[in-house]
Amino acid sequence: MLILTAPVFILPARLVFADIAPERAAERLIADAVNAGRARIAPELPPLAGEAVLDGIARERSAAMAAGAPFDHQDAEGTYPGIEKMRARYAKFGAMGENIAMDYEPSRSDFDPRYFTARTVDGWFKSEGHRENILSPAFTRCGTGVARSPGRTTAYATQVFWGPPVSRRPQRG
């Protein structure tokens, strides 16, 4: 008997990214794969809209980890850099979240955006907390950033999420 399973996301077989850095190619692939998985699992939700400011924040987070910052949502002072950056540069209020990933491949001498994307997004969908961020109806926008360590054997991905504040109407008594 042959059993076929559907992947969490589908990567296009022929994408040409010759004109952009491999990290930027991975960002595009990750954003597309996350939205494809969101559409498949929660078709009632709209796709997460990309946002240039959020992309910049996500890139900064990945670059910081690639340069030696802790691979964690919190920094040494106990603050959440991704959230703080969103509050300072994007919106003070609203729903905010962050997914991070690290992929260490000492045997690979090249960086393959498709391979990195597949491992990253698959890991996020298999992790309850990361999956909750991706599938949260509170989030409407996202930014994606990828950076590699100086030795280029470790790559980091960050996806930050934002959604508008919930309007609270006064209750009448």
Side-chain angles (χ1 to χ4, degrees), residues 26-97:
E27 291 169 1
R28 289 183 186 178
L29 289 168
I30 289 169
D32 290 346
V34 163
N35 268 329
R38 181 174 160 113
R40 185 178 66 75
I41 296 167
E44 71 281 4
L45 296 177
L48 294 163
E51 191 74 43
V53 173
L54 295 176
D55 286 340
I57 291 167
R59 282 184 192 129
E60 286 176 23
R61 288 283 293 133
S62 290
M65 289 182 285
F71 175 68
D72 199 329
H73 297 288
Q74 281 185 285
D75 62 16
E77 288 78 41
T79 62
Y80 295 86
I83 303 301
E84 295 304 318
K85 289 174 185 288
M86 285 192 281
R87 284 187 179 138
R89 298 191 341 231
Y90 189 72
K92 290 191 184 295
F93 304 103
M96 297 178 199

